[in-house]
Amino acid sequence: AIQVGTTPSEPSTANPAITFVGQNYDQASTVTGFPLPVFSLATGTLPTGLTLNTSNGHITGTPSTAGVYQFRVRAANWAGTVVTANYSVTVWDKPAISSVTALSQSINESDSYSEVVVADSPSTTFSVSSGELPLGLTLNSQTGEISGVANTFGTYKFKVSATNPAGSSESDEITILVKQAPVVSSDVIT
């Protein structure tokens, strides 16, 4: 019997991937060939915690170190060898909140307030993890914007948490002092 093999080829390449420390990752290979090639790392480094399956080319695991990782994979069978296009995987760590100082303010009752909690990680959601926002203000969980009209004076201390899709979060305390609006009397002074 004659067996005809085909040189491994990569008909399509994977887009740059984004994942998070602690989040399961699975990237399938698009390399084809007969017989099925054996896969190995050709250049670069996989993210710590990820492995290359030498039988099917899948890259799987749970990354443990943030960073940008670039690599190429070699696929070889007795009919030939192909080295894949450059792959890039960006691994994000827990989000860091960088705007707390600007958020802590002193405002007057009935004043509008609009500030954004800034985190350095994509796909972050925001929540108040302890304390309470000033009455009349709300936190947009998708954008991190705290906005509204403060309608009750007092000192409000609360923590805002930024959480990434892997469930890692960071929180910081914010203090907003809402000063009582002056009372204007309608009494006529004679």
Short mmCIF file of all heavy atoms in Angstrom, two decimals, residues 81-150:
data_model
loop_
_atom_site.label_atom_id
_atom_site.label_comp_id
_atom_site.label_asym_id
_atom_site.label_seq_id
_atom_site.Cartn_x
_atom_site.Cartn_y
_atom_site.Cartn_z
N THR A 81 7.70 20.13 6.93
CA THR A 81 7.64 20.96 8.15
C THR A 81 7.11 22.34 7.81
O THR A 81 7.40 22.87 6.73
CB THR A 81 9.06 21.11 8.76
OG1 THR A 81 9.56 19.82 9.08
CG2 THR A 81 9.03 21.97 10.02
N VAL A 82 6.35 22.91 8.71
CA VAL A 82 5.91 24.29 8.59
C VAL A 82 6.13 24.96 9.94
O VAL A 82 5.99 24.35 10.99
CB VAL A 82 4.43 24.41 8.15
CG1 VAL A 82 3.49 23.92 9.21
CG2 VAL A 82 4.08 25.85 7.79
N VAL A 83 6.53 26.22 9.88
CA VAL A 83 6.62 27.04 11.09
C VAL A 83 5.50 28.06 10.99
O VAL A 83 5.35 28.74 9.97
CB VAL A 83 7.99 27.73 11.23
CG1 VAL A 83 8.00 28.65 12.43
CG2 VAL A 83 9.09 26.68 11.35
N THR A 84 4.69 28.14 12.03
CA THR A 84 3.50 28.99 12.00
C THR A 84 3.86 30.47 11.95
O THR A 84 5.01 30.86 12.16
CB THR A 84 2.64 28.77 13.26
OG1 THR A 84 3.39 29.20 14.40
CG2 THR A 84 2.23 27.32 13.41
N ALA A 85 2.84 31.25 11.70
CA ALA A 85 2.97 32.70 11.81
C ALA A 85 3.27 33.04 13.26
O ALA A 85 3.17 32.21 14.15
CB ALA A 85 1.67 33.37 11.36
N ASN A 86 3.64 34.29 13.51
CA ASN A 86 3.87 34.73 14.89
C ASN A 86 2.56 34.76 15.64
O ASN A 86 1.58 35.32 15.17
CB ASN A 86 4.50 36.13 14.92
CG ASN A 86 5.94 36.11 14.50
OD1 ASN A 86 6.69 35.23 14.88
ND2 ASN A 86 6.33 37.09 13.71
N TYR A 87 2.55 34.15 16.82
CA TYR A 87 1.40 34.23 17.72
C TYR A 87 1.74 35.21 18.82
O TYR A 87 2.89 35.33 19.24
CB TYR A 87 1.09 32.87 18.36
CG TYR A 87 0.55 31.84 17.40
CD1 TYR A 87 1.18 30.61 17.26
CD2 TYR A 87 -0.59 32.07 16.66
CE1 TYR A 87 0.68 29.65 16.40
CE2 TYR A 87 -1.10 31.11 15.80
CZ TYR A 87 -0.45 29.90 15.68
OH TYR A 87 -0.94 28.97 14.82
N SER A 88 0.74 35.91 19.31
CA SER A 88 0.93 36.85 20.40
C SER A 88 -0.19 36.63 21.42
O SER A 88 -1.36 36.61 21.06
CB SER A 88 0.89 38.28 19.88
OG SER A 88 1.04 39.19 20.94
N VAL A 89 0.19 36.45 22.69
CA VAL A 89 -0.77 36.30 23.77
C VAL A 89 -0.44 37.35 24.82
O VAL A 89 0.69 37.40 25.32
CB VAL A 89 -0.73 34.89 24.40
CG1 VAL A 89 -1.68 34.80 25.59
CG2 VAL A 89 -1.06 33.82 23.36
N THR A 90 -1.42 38.19 25.14
CA THR A 90 -1.25 39.18 26.20
C THR A 90 -1.99 38.67 27.43
O THR A 90 -3.18 38.37 27.36
CB THR A 90 -1.82 40.55 25.79
OG1 THR A 90 -1.13 40.98 24.60
CG2 THR A 90 -1.64 41.58 26.89
N VAL A 91 -1.25 38.56 28.54
CA VAL A 91 -1.82 38.10 29.80
C VAL A 91 -1.88 39.30 30.75
O VAL A 91 -0.86 39.91 31.04
CB VAL A 91 -0.97 36.97 30.42
CG1 VAL A 91 -1.59 36.51 31.74
CG2 VAL A 91 -0.82 35.80 29.45
N TRP A 92 -3.08 39.63 31.19
CA TRP A 92 -3.28 40.76 32.11
C TRP A 92 -3.38 40.25 33.54
O TRP A 92 -3.97 39.21 33.80
CB TRP A 92 -4.57 41.50 31.77
CG TRP A 92 -4.50 42.29 30.51
CD1 TRP A 92 -4.80 41.86 29.24
CD2 TRP A 92 -4.09 43.63 30.37
NE1 TRP A 92 -4.60 42.85 28.34
CE2 TRP A 92 -4.16 43.96 29.00
CE3 TRP A 92 -3.67 44.61 31.27
CZ2 TRP A 92 -3.83 45.22 28.52
CZ3 TRP A 92 -3.34 45.86 30.79
CH2 TRP A 92 -3.43 46.15 29.43
N ASP A 93 -2.83 41.02 34.46
CA ASP A 93 -2.94 40.71 35.88
C ASP A 93 -4.20 41.37 36.43
O ASP A 93 -4.97 41.95 35.68
CB ASP A 93 -1.69 41.23 36.63
CG ASP A 93 -1.42 40.48 37.92
OD1 ASP A 93 -2.31 39.74 38.38
OD2 ASP A 93 -0.32 40.64 38.46
N LYS A 94 -4.40 41.30 37.76
CA LYS A 94 -5.57 41.96 38.33
C LYS A 94 -5.51 43.45 38.01
O LYS A 94 -4.42 44.03 37.91
CB LYS A 94 -5.67 41.71 39.83
CG LYS A 94 -4.60 42.34 40.66
CD LYS A 94 -4.81 41.99 42.13
CE LYS A 94 -3.71 42.56 42.97
NZ LYS A 94 -3.87 42.23 44.36
N PRO A 95 -6.67 44.08 37.85
CA PRO A 95 -6.67 45.49 37.49
C PRO A 95 -6.12 46.36 38.61
O PRO A 95 -6.28 46.05 39.79
CB PRO A 95 -8.15 45.79 37.24
CG PRO A 95 -8.91 44.65 37.79
CD PRO A 95 -7.99 43.51 37.98
N ALA A 96 -5.46 47.43 38.23
CA ALA A 96 -4.99 48.42 39.19
C ALA A 96 -5.78 49.70 38.94
O ALA A 96 -5.90 50.16 37.80
CB ALA A 96 -3.50 48.68 39.02
N ILE A 97 -6.32 50.27 40.00
CA ILE A 97 -7.09 51.51 39.90
C ILE A 97 -6.11 52.68 40.03
O ILE A 97 -5.33 52.72 40.97
CB ILE A 97 -8.17 51.57 40.99
CG1 ILE A 97 -9.15 50.41 40.81
CG2 ILE A 97 -8.90 52.91 40.96
CD1 ILE A 97 -10.17 50.26 41.92
N SER A 98 -6.18 53.61 39.08
CA SER A 98 -5.17 54.67 39.06
C SER A 98 -5.74 56.08 39.23
O SER A 98 -5.02 57.04 39.09
CB SER A 98 -4.40 54.60 37.74
OG SER A 98 -5.28 54.80 36.65
N SER A 99 -7.00 56.21 39.56
CA SER A 99 -7.60 57.55 39.56
C SER A 99 -8.22 57.95 40.89
O SER A 99 -9.02 58.87 40.94
CB SER A 99 -8.67 57.61 38.48
OG SER A 99 -9.67 56.63 38.75
N VAL A 100 -7.86 57.29 41.98
CA VAL A 100 -8.54 57.51 43.25
C VAL A 100 -8.39 58.94 43.76
O VAL A 100 -9.35 59.53 44.26
CB VAL A 100 -8.04 56.49 44.31
CG1 VAL A 100 -8.64 56.79 45.66
CG2 VAL A 100 -8.41 55.10 43.87
N THR A 101 -7.23 59.53 43.64
CA THR A 101 -7.02 60.89 44.15
C THR A 101 -7.98 61.87 43.51
O THR A 101 -8.57 62.72 44.20
CB THR A 101 -5.56 61.33 43.90
OG1 THR A 101 -4.70 60.37 44.48
CG2 THR A 101 -5.29 62.68 44.51
N ALA A 102 -8.19 61.76 42.21
CA ALA A 102 -9.10 62.69 41.51
C ALA A 102 -10.56 62.45 41.89
O ALA A 102 -11.38 63.36 41.80
CB ALA A 102 -8.93 62.53 40.01
N LEU A 103 -10.88 61.23 42.33
CA LEU A 103 -12.27 60.91 42.66
C LEU A 103 -12.68 61.43 44.03
O LEU A 103 -13.85 61.73 44.25
CB LEU A 103 -12.47 59.40 42.61
CG LEU A 103 -12.28 58.76 41.24
CD1 LEU A 103 -12.19 57.27 41.36
CD2 LEU A 103 -13.39 59.15 40.30
N SER A 104 -11.74 61.50 44.97
CA SER A 104 -12.05 62.00 46.31
C SER A 104 -12.14 63.51 46.24
O SER A 104 -11.14 64.19 45.99
CB SER A 104 -10.98 61.55 47.30
OG SER A 104 -11.03 60.14 47.47
N GLN A 105 -13.34 64.05 46.46
CA GLN A 105 -13.56 65.48 46.29
C GLN A 105 -14.49 66.01 47.37
O GLN A 105 -15.17 65.25 48.07
CB GLN A 105 -14.19 65.78 44.93
CG GLN A 105 -13.32 65.47 43.75
CD GLN A 105 -14.00 65.87 42.44
OE1 GLN A 105 -14.95 66.65 42.42
NE2 GLN A 105 -13.49 65.33 41.34
N SER A 106 -14.55 67.32 47.43
CA SER A 106 -15.50 68.04 48.27
C SER A 106 -16.42 68.79 47.32
O SER A 106 -15.96 69.56 46.48
CB SER A 106 -14.74 69.00 49.18
OG SER A 106 -15.64 69.73 49.97
N ILE A 107 -17.73 68.52 47.43
CA ILE A 107 -18.70 69.16 46.55
C ILE A 107 -19.84 69.71 47.39
O ILE A 107 -20.01 69.35 48.56
CB ILE A 107 -19.24 68.20 45.46
CG1 ILE A 107 -19.94 67.00 46.10
CG2 ILE A 107 -18.12 67.75 44.54
CD1 ILE A 107 -20.62 66.07 45.11
N ASN A 108 -20.63 70.56 46.80
CA ASN A 108 -21.80 71.11 47.47
C ASN A 108 -23.02 70.26 47.19
O ASN A 108 -23.15 69.66 46.12
CB ASN A 108 -22.07 72.55 47.01
CG ASN A 108 -21.00 73.50 47.47
OD1 ASN A 108 -20.52 73.42 48.61
ND2 ASN A 108 -20.60 74.42 46.60
N GLU A 109 -23.93 70.25 48.15
CA GLU A 109 -25.21 69.59 47.98
C GLU A 109 -25.88 70.18 46.74
O GLU A 109 -25.76 71.38 46.49
CB GLU A 109 -26.03 69.85 49.24
CG GLU A 109 -27.23 68.99 49.42
CD GLU A 109 -27.90 69.26 50.77
OE1 GLU A 109 -27.74 70.37 51.34
OE2 GLU A 109 -28.58 68.37 51.24
N SER A 110 -26.51 69.37 45.94
CA SER A 110 -27.19 69.75 44.69
C SER A 110 -26.23 70.01 43.54
O SER A 110 -26.66 70.42 42.47
CB SER A 110 -28.10 70.96 44.88
OG SER A 110 -29.09 70.65 45.83
N ASP A 111 -24.92 69.76 43.75
CA ASP A 111 -23.96 69.89 42.65
C ASP A 111 -23.90 68.58 41.85
O ASP A 111 -24.07 67.50 42.39
CB ASP A 111 -22.54 70.17 43.17
CG ASP A 111 -22.32 71.63 43.52
OD1 ASP A 111 -23.24 72.45 43.27
OD2 ASP A 111 -21.24 71.95 44.04
N SER A 112 -23.64 68.75 40.57
CA SER A 112 -23.41 67.58 39.72
C SER A 112 -22.00 67.06 39.97
O SER A 112 -21.08 67.83 40.26
CB SER A 112 -23.54 67.96 38.24
OG SER A 112 -24.87 68.28 37.95
N TYR A 113 -21.85 65.75 39.83
CA TYR A 113 -20.55 65.10 40.00
C TYR A 113 -20.42 64.09 38.87
O TYR A 113 -21.35 63.34 38.57
CB TYR A 113 -20.50 64.39 41.36
CG TYR A 113 -19.22 63.62 41.62
CD1 TYR A 113 -18.15 64.22 42.27
CD2 TYR A 113 -19.09 62.30 41.22
CE1 TYR A 113 -16.98 63.52 42.53
CE2 TYR A 113 -17.92 61.59 41.47
CZ TYR A 113 -16.87 62.20 42.13
OH TYR A 113 -15.72 61.51 42.38
N SER A 114 -19.25 64.06 38.24
CA SER A 114 -19.00 63.08 37.19
C SER A 114 -17.50 62.82 37.11
O SER A 114 -16.74 63.69 36.69
CB SER A 114 -19.52 63.57 35.83
OG SER A 114 -19.24 62.61 34.83
N GLU A 115 -17.10 61.65 37.55
CA GLU A 115 -15.70 61.22 37.49
C GLU A 115 -15.68 59.75 37.11
O GLU A 115 -16.65 59.02 37.34
CB GLU A 115 -14.98 61.42 38.84
CG GLU A 115 -14.84 62.86 39.27
CD GLU A 115 -13.83 63.65 38.44
OE1 GLU A 115 -12.95 63.04 37.80
OE2 GLU A 115 -13.94 64.89 38.42
N VAL A 116 -14.55 59.30 36.54
CA VAL A 116 -14.45 57.92 36.08
C VAL A 116 -13.35 57.19 36.84
O VAL A 116 -12.22 57.68 36.95
CB VAL A 116 -14.17 57.87 34.56
CG1 VAL A 116 -13.99 56.44 34.08
CG2 VAL A 116 -15.29 58.54 33.79
N VAL A 117 -13.68 56.02 37.36
CA VAL A 117 -12.69 55.13 37.96
C VAL A 117 -11.92 54.51 36.81
O VAL A 117 -12.51 53.93 35.89
CB VAL A 117 -13.38 54.02 38.80
CG1 VAL A 117 -12.33 53.09 39.39
CG2 VAL A 117 -14.26 54.62 39.87
N VAL A 118 -10.59 54.66 36.81
CA VAL A 118 -9.77 54.16 35.71
C VAL A 118 -9.00 52.93 36.20
O VAL A 118 -8.33 52.98 37.23
CB VAL A 118 -8.78 55.24 35.22
CG1 VAL A 118 -7.88 54.69 34.13
CG2 VAL A 118 -9.55 56.46 34.73
N ALA A 119 -9.11 51.84 35.45
CA ALA A 119 -8.36 50.62 35.74
C ALA A 119 -7.54 50.26 34.51
O ALA A 119 -7.92 50.57 33.38
CB ALA A 119 -9.30 49.48 36.10
N ASP A 120 -6.40 49.60 34.72
CA ASP A 120 -5.47 49.33 33.63
C ASP A 120 -5.64 47.96 32.99
O ASP A 120 -4.69 47.40 32.47
CB ASP A 120 -4.03 49.48 34.14
CG ASP A 120 -3.66 48.39 35.14
OD1 ASP A 120 -4.56 47.67 35.60
OD2 ASP A 120 -2.47 48.26 35.45
N SER A 121 -6.82 47.42 33.00
CA SER A 121 -7.05 46.08 32.46
C SER A 121 -8.31 46.10 31.60
O SER A 121 -9.29 46.75 31.95
CB SER A 121 -7.23 45.10 33.64
OG SER A 121 -7.41 43.79 33.19
N PRO A 122 -8.30 45.39 30.47
CA PRO A 122 -9.50 45.38 29.61
C PRO A 122 -10.62 44.55 30.23
O PRO A 122 -10.38 43.71 31.09
CB PRO A 122 -8.99 44.75 28.32
CG PRO A 122 -7.88 43.88 28.74
CD PRO A 122 -7.22 44.58 29.90
N SER A 123 -11.82 44.79 29.79
CA SER A 123 -13.00 44.03 30.21
C SER A 123 -13.24 44.08 31.71
O SER A 123 -13.72 43.12 32.30
CB SER A 123 -12.89 42.57 29.74
OG SER A 123 -12.68 42.50 28.36
N THR A 124 -12.91 45.20 32.32
CA THR A 124 -13.07 45.36 33.76
C THR A 124 -14.50 45.79 34.08
O THR A 124 -15.08 46.59 33.37
CB THR A 124 -12.08 46.43 34.28
OG1 THR A 124 -10.76 45.99 33.98
CG2 THR A 124 -12.20 46.64 35.76
N THR A 125 -15.05 45.23 35.16
CA THR A 125 -16.33 45.70 35.68
C THR A 125 -16.10 46.33 37.04
O THR A 125 -15.14 46.01 37.74
CB THR A 125 -17.36 44.55 35.80
OG1 THR A 125 -16.82 43.53 36.64
CG2 THR A 125 -17.70 43.98 34.43
N PHE A 126 -16.98 47.24 37.41
CA PHE A 126 -16.81 48.03 38.62
C PHE A 126 -18.00 47.85 39.55
O PHE A 126 -19.13 47.68 39.09
CB PHE A 126 -16.67 49.52 38.26
CG PHE A 126 -15.50 49.79 37.35
CD1 PHE A 126 -15.64 49.76 35.97
CD2 PHE A 126 -14.24 50.06 37.88
CE1 PHE A 126 -14.56 50.00 35.13
CE2 PHE A 126 -13.15 50.30 37.05
CZ PHE A 126 -13.32 50.26 35.67
N SER A 127 -17.73 47.90 40.86
CA SER A 127 -18.80 47.79 41.85
C SER A 127 -18.37 48.50 43.12
O SER A 127 -17.18 48.71 43.36
CB SER A 127 -19.11 46.33 42.15
OG SER A 127 -17.98 45.70 42.74
N VAL A 128 -19.36 48.87 43.94
CA VAL A 128 -19.08 49.41 45.27
C VAL A 128 -19.00 48.20 46.19
O VAL A 128 -19.97 47.47 46.35
CB VAL A 128 -20.19 50.39 45.72
CG1 VAL A 128 -19.93 50.86 47.15
CG2 VAL A 128 -20.25 51.59 44.78
N SER A 129 -17.80 47.96 46.75
CA SER A 129 -17.59 46.76 47.56
C SER A 129 -17.82 46.98 49.05
O SER A 129 -18.03 46.04 49.79
CB SER A 129 -16.21 46.17 47.30
OG SER A 129 -15.21 47.14 47.50
N SER A 130 -17.78 48.23 49.50
CA SER A 130 -18.14 48.54 50.89
C SER A 130 -18.48 50.03 50.97
O SER A 130 -18.04 50.83 50.15
CB SER A 130 -17.01 48.19 51.85
OG SER A 130 -15.91 49.05 51.69
N GLY A 131 -19.29 50.37 51.98
CA GLY A 131 -19.72 51.75 52.13
C GLY A 131 -20.82 52.09 51.15
O GLY A 131 -21.39 51.21 50.50
N GLU A 132 -21.12 53.37 51.05
CA GLU A 132 -22.19 53.83 50.16
C GLU A 132 -21.78 55.08 49.41
O GLU A 132 -21.08 55.94 49.95
CB GLU A 132 -23.45 54.16 50.97
CG GLU A 132 -24.10 52.97 51.61
CD GLU A 132 -25.38 53.34 52.38
OE1 GLU A 132 -25.80 54.51 52.32
OE2 GLU A 132 -25.93 52.45 53.02
N LEU A 133 -22.24 55.16 48.17
CA LEU A 133 -22.07 56.37 47.39
C LEU A 133 -22.93 57.47 48.00
O LEU A 133 -23.95 57.19 48.64
CB LEU A 133 -22.53 56.15 45.95
CG LEU A 133 -21.72 55.23 45.06
CD1 LEU A 133 -22.49 54.94 43.78
CD2 LEU A 133 -20.39 55.84 44.74
N PRO A 134 -22.57 58.74 47.78
CA PRO A 134 -23.46 59.81 48.19
C PRO A 134 -24.83 59.61 47.53
O PRO A 134 -24.91 59.20 46.37
CB PRO A 134 -22.77 61.08 47.67
CG PRO A 134 -21.33 60.72 47.60
CD PRO A 134 -21.31 59.26 47.21
N LEU A 135 -25.88 59.92 48.27
CA LEU A 135 -27.23 59.79 47.73
C LEU A 135 -27.35 60.65 46.48
O LEU A 135 -26.93 61.81 46.48
CB LEU A 135 -28.27 60.18 48.77
CG LEU A 135 -28.29 59.28 50.01
CD1 LEU A 135 -29.25 59.84 51.06
CD2 LEU A 135 -28.66 57.85 49.64
N GLY A 136 -27.89 60.07 45.43
CA GLY A 136 -28.04 60.78 44.17
C GLY A 136 -26.96 60.43 43.15
O GLY A 136 -27.09 60.75 41.98
N LEU A 137 -25.88 59.77 43.60
CA LEU A 137 -24.83 59.35 42.66
C LEU A 137 -24.94 57.86 42.38
O LEU A 137 -25.37 57.08 43.23
CB LEU A 137 -23.44 59.65 43.22
CG LEU A 137 -23.10 61.10 43.57
CD1 LEU A 137 -21.62 61.22 43.96
CD2 LEU A 137 -23.43 62.04 42.43
N THR A 138 -24.55 57.46 41.18
CA THR A 138 -24.56 56.04 40.80
C THR A 138 -23.22 55.70 40.16
O THR A 138 -22.52 56.56 39.63
CB THR A 138 -25.70 55.72 39.80
OG1 THR A 138 -25.53 56.52 38.63
CG2 THR A 138 -27.06 55.97 40.41
N LEU A 139 -22.90 54.41 40.19
CA LEU A 139 -21.69 53.88 39.56
C LEU A 139 -22.10 53.04 38.37
O LEU A 139 -22.87 52.09 38.51
CB LEU A 139 -20.89 53.03 40.56
CG LEU A 139 -19.72 52.22 39.98
CD1 LEU A 139 -18.64 53.14 39.43
CD2 LEU A 139 -19.14 51.30 41.05
N ASN A 140 -21.59 53.38 37.18
CA ASN A 140 -21.82 52.57 35.98
C ASN A 140 -20.85 51.39 36.04
O ASN A 140 -19.63 51.58 35.99
CB ASN A 140 -21.59 53.41 34.72
CG ASN A 140 -21.87 52.64 33.46
OD1 ASN A 140 -21.39 51.53 33.26
ND2 ASN A 140 -22.65 53.24 32.57
N SER A 141 -21.37 50.18 36.13
CA SER A 141 -20.52 48.99 36.32
C SER A 141 -19.66 48.67 35.11
O SER A 141 -18.64 47.99 35.24
CB SER A 141 -21.38 47.77 36.67
OG SER A 141 -22.24 47.44 35.60
N GLN A 142 -20.02 49.15 33.94
CA GLN A 142 -19.24 48.86 32.73
C GLN A 142 -18.16 49.90 32.45
O GLN A 142 -17.07 49.57 32.01
CB GLN A 142 -20.16 48.74 31.51
CG GLN A 142 -21.19 47.61 31.65
CD GLN A 142 -20.56 46.27 31.92
OE1 GLN A 142 -19.69 45.82 31.18
NE2 GLN A 142 -20.98 45.60 32.98
N THR A 143 -18.48 51.17 32.69
CA THR A 143 -17.53 52.24 32.35
C THR A 143 -16.75 52.77 33.55
O THR A 143 -15.74 53.43 33.38
CB THR A 143 -18.27 53.45 31.73
OG1 THR A 143 -19.13 54.03 32.72
CG2 THR A 143 -19.06 53.03 30.49
N GLY A 144 -17.25 52.51 34.77
CA GLY A 144 -16.59 53.03 35.96
C GLY A 144 -16.95 54.47 36.27
O GLY A 144 -16.39 55.06 37.19
N GLU A 145 -17.90 55.04 35.55
CA GLU A 145 -18.26 56.44 35.80
C GLU A 145 -19.17 56.54 37.02
O GLU A 145 -20.16 55.83 37.15
CB GLU A 145 -18.97 57.06 34.60
CG GLU A 145 -19.33 58.51 34.86
CD GLU A 145 -20.05 59.19 33.71
OE1 GLU A 145 -20.62 58.49 32.84
OE2 GLU A 145 -20.03 60.43 33.66
N ILE A 146 -18.78 57.43 37.94
CA ILE A 146 -19.62 57.79 39.07
C ILE A 146 -20.21 59.14 38.71
O ILE A 146 -19.48 60.10 38.45
CB ILE A 146 -18.80 57.90 40.38
CG1 ILE A 146 -18.15 56.55 40.71
CG2 ILE A 146 -19.69 58.36 41.53
CD1 ILE A 146 -17.18 56.61 41.88
N SER A 147 -21.56 59.22 38.70
CA SER A 147 -22.18 60.48 38.27
C SER A 147 -23.54 60.65 38.92
O SER A 147 -24.11 59.72 39.47
CB SER A 147 -22.32 60.51 36.74
OG SER A 147 -23.18 59.47 36.32
N GLY A 148 -24.01 61.89 38.84
CA GLY A 148 -25.32 62.23 39.36
C GLY A 148 -25.28 63.57 40.06
O GLY A 148 -24.32 64.33 39.93
N VAL A 149 -26.33 63.84 40.84
CA VAL A 149 -26.43 65.07 41.62
C VAL A 149 -26.51 64.67 43.08
O VAL A 149 -27.44 63.98 43.50
CB VAL A 149 -27.67 65.90 41.21
CG1 VAL A 149 -27.81 67.13 42.10
CG2 VAL A 149 -27.57 66.31 39.75
N ALA A 150 -25.52 65.10 43.86
CA ALA A 150 -25.50 64.79 45.29
C ALA A 150 -26.62 65.56 45.97
O ALA A 150 -26.71 66.77 45.86
CB ALA A 150 -24.15 65.18 45.88
#
